Amino acid sequence: MKKTMSRWQLWWRLFLWLHALGIAGFYSVLLRRTVPHKGDRVRVLPVRDDDTRLFDRLERKVPTVSIIVPARDEEANIRRCVQSLLEQDYEHFEVIAVDDGSTDGTGAILDELTREHPNSNHLWLLRLRDLPQGWAGKPHALHRGVQEAQGEWVLFTDADTWHAPNSLRSAVLQAVEEQADMFTMGAEQELPTFWDRALMPMAYMGISMLYPPNLVNDPTSKVAVANGQYILLRRSVYDIVGGYARFDLRGTLLDDRDLARVVKENGFRLRFVDGRGLVHVHMYSDFGAIWRGWRKNAYLGNRGGLLFVALQLVGLPMISIVPFLFPLLVWLGRLGGGKTAKGQGMSKGEAMAAMALEWVPLAVYRTWLNAQLKVPWYYLFTHPLAGAIFTGILGQSSWRVLTHKGVDWRGRQYHDGKSASMGRVGEKV
């Protein structure tokens, strides 16, 4: 019995050391892959006044930008978003707000803005009715907006965003100077609630693990993603690749990632930069909305297929929960009793060294990530809670897609990436 117990302790000790080395390696590599290069940040231009804008208009021609805002039941957000877009310190732009069958006060707010805002001459409303078969809601709304657009560039943005006055000018200038064809910016997240601050860092960790920004910006890499909260795209490129009218993009629930993939696959230049300070967003209003929002994307947004998803379902608890259980695991394995003979386990000092090996890289990464998101440092200790919740989200998302139960979003049910609703669309007002 003593011999059997010693062998079990030896294997348990080996497991803990391998786990510590694995965790240390994972977070060290993740930090290195996630920290953007120095040039991968938007160059923020100072806000202009009217006199300066008039001078620039006389000096040189600037491209016209069509800003397209799809909105479905966004009465809580649409006013702030559209107002911020109408107040850009840029000369040539139009805002096309696409009311995608809203049943709340979204349409009334947009009507009010067209009547009362001082810059309402830049605002156009496009009202859609039912969704045609084979389309998902947002790709359809964006495509209909592009059909009405007059600009040399199109900007896709979400109704839950709001924009600094100098955001459009800063983005256009950098996109033109860098000869980018698709220029997308990461937004500054507004995180007012506990669940926002606890869960958003884990979401960012997952996205950066799957789509490292340094690979996204590497033209030799096939990795492509964009932030649907801010995508600036040459209209000519949209037309060349077929845009959302493509059969493979009409029904996508990952409109930003899939459009970026098509643009990059066709040899056009994709640039993803940090746009914090210029673009702001509050994505979800409560825990239920957070769960439903990430459930929509968790399985479909993965790279590597079903096997990789299965690996994540096992691996996510291992990297987020188990490190916080290390002292308990040591105690359960009776490895902290001070004995160092072969088969009797590690000493307390060795156990502390193993725990420090995995804890230090994890803490360094999460402290850095919390700082990027302006989350207090002590939310590091919500890491296992967030890991458990996102494991549940990924599991449910996978089950609903693989069993063809579908996912629901904005009052629509999607099966295999396509909406079941169909009918007639749109009128411009």
Side-chain angles (χ1 to χ4, degrees):
M1 180 68 180
K2 183 177 179 180
K3 184 176 181 180
T4 303
M5 190 67 169
S6 296
R7 184 180 297 121
W8 180 84
Q9 285 185 319
L10 180 62
W11 282 107
W12 189 252
R13 177 186 182 189
L14 179 62
F15 164 77
L16 291 177
W17 271 112
L18 289 176
H19 185 268
L21 289 169
I23 294 298
F26 173 81
Y27 283 104
S28 297
V29 171
L30 184 61
L31 181 62
R32 182 177 61 83
R33 285 162 58 96
T34 302
V35 175
H37 293 154
K38 187 176 181 180
D40 292 341
R41 179 168 176 77
V42 66
R43 295 190 290 273
V44 180
L45 301 177
V47 178
R48 291 172 169 172
D49 58 28
D50 290 337
D51 292 339
T52 305
R53 277 180 276 171
L54 176 62
F55 176 80
D56 286 345
R57 184 170 67 245
L58 296 173
E59 286 292 313
R60 64 179 182 178
K61 181 181 182 298
V62 294
T64 302
V65 180
S66 297
I67 306 171
I68 301 172
V69 188
R72 179 174 172 85
D73 294 339
E74 291 281 4
E75 64 180 2
N77 301 309
I78 193 65
R79 184 186 302 277
R80 178 169 60 173
C81 175
V82 173
Q83 282 181 336
S84 71
L85 293 170
L86 291 175
E87 293 162 8
Q88 293 296 299
D89 65 350
Y90 191 81
E91 284 302 312
H92 303 294
F93 73 95
E94 61 178 353
V95 178
I96 302 174
V98 185
D99 182 3
D100 185 16
S102 297
T103 59
D104 64 0
T106 299
I109 294 171
L110 290 172
D111 288 337
E112 180 186 333
L113 288 170
T114 61
R115 293 192 307 267
E116 299 180 3
H117 196 280
N119 295 332
S120 61
N121 59 307
H122 289 280
L123 177 61
W124 295 85
L125 305 186
L126 177 63
R127 299 196 192 280
L128 304 182
R129 297 178 182 173
D130 295 330
L131 186 65
Q133 187 174 9
W135 286 84
K138 188 177 177 183
H140 178 251
L142 290 171
H143 182 67
R144 288 301 308 275
V146 173
Q147 289 180 310
E148 302 293 341
Q150 302 295 315
E152 302 161 61
W153 291 76
V154 291
L155 169 61
F156 301 143
T157 190
D158 289 345
D160 55 5
T161 62
W162 63 103
H163 305 251
N166 51 338
S167 60
L168 182 58
R169 186 166 52 88
S170 298
V172 170
L173 180 61
Q174 188 164 341
V176 170
E177 287 183 344
E178 296 183 354
Q179 298 182 328
D181 299 299
M182 174 183 275
F183 187 86
T184 181
M185 295 199 298
E188 184 167 328
Q189 299 288 327
E190 183 183 74
L191 307 173
T193 72
F194 167 81
W195 290 115
D196 286 320
R197 295 188 290 269
L199 297 179
M200 190 56 70
M202 183 62 68
Y204 262 63
M205 187 184 86
I207 294 170
S208 60
M209 179 181 69
L210 294 169
Y211 302 96
N214 297 335
L215 293 183
V216 172
N217 286 321
D218 182 356
T220 66
S221 169
K222 294 182 179 181
V223 178
V225 76
N227 177 21
Q229 297 154 2
Y230 202 98
I231 298 177
L232 183 64
L233 177 66
R234 295 182 190 270
R235 171 64 185 271
S236 59
V237 172
Y238 182 91
D239 291 336
I240 290 170
V241 302
Y244 289 116
R246 292 171 57 109
F247 183 77
D248 57 335
L249 294 189
R250 291 182 181 186
T252 180
L253 297 181
L254 296 164
D255 51 278
D256 45 8
R257 185 204 65 177
D258 289 347
L259 183 61
R261 171 184 55 80
V262 169
V263 167
K264 198 171 185 182
E265 283 178 351
N266 280 272
F268 295 106
R269 189 174 186 204
L270 169 63
R271 284 285 285 136
F272 197 131
V273 302
D274 181 355
R276 286 175 299 163
L278 292 182
V279 186
H280 305 257
V281 64
H282 181 206
M283 293 178 64
Y284 303 117
S285 58
D286 54 36
F287 179 79
I290 293 172
W291 183 286
R292 292 189 298 272
W294 290 110
R295 181 181 66 187
K296 174 174 67 74
N297 297 333
Y299 178 80
L300 296 173
N302 255 284
R303 298 169 52 219
L306 181 58
L307 181 62
F308 186 59
V309 171
L311 181 63
Q312 283 181 285
L313 288 172
V314 176
L316 185 53
M318 294 293 289
I319 63 171
S320 60
I321 299 174
V322 174
F324 290 80
L325 299 178
F326 197 94
L328 177 61
L329 295 176
V330 170
W331 179 79
L332 289 175
R334 301 177 184 176
L335 301 180
K339 298 178 180 180
T340 58
K342 183 177 180 181
Q344 296 298 315
M346 62 176 71
S347 66
K348 288 182 178 179
E350 189 178 1
M352 292 296 293
M355 187 167 66
L357 177 64
E358 65 179 39
W359 251 87
V360 169
L362 187 159
V364 168
Y365 171 76
R366 266 306 302 261
T367 300
W368 172 82
L369 183 58
N370 287 353
Q372 302 305 300
L373 295 172
K374 297 183 180 179
V375 171
W377 67 269
Y378 50 81
Y379 273 83
L380 159 68
F381 297 104
T382 66
H383 200 62
L385 173 63
I389 290 172
F390 270 96
T391 300
I393 290 173
L394 178 59
Q396 190 181 62
S397 177
S398 303
W399 178 76
R400 292 179 71 100
V401 173
L402 294 174
T403 61
H404 305 288
K405 184 177 178 66
V407 294
D408 56 302
W409 187 244
R410 296 290 182 187
R412 289 167 172 157
Q413 190 77 15
Y414 294 93
H415 301 273
D416 298 326
K418 297 179 181 179
S419 175
S421 60
M422 57 183 295
R424 196 158 55 96
V425 296
E427 58 182 349
K428 194 170 184 181
V429 296

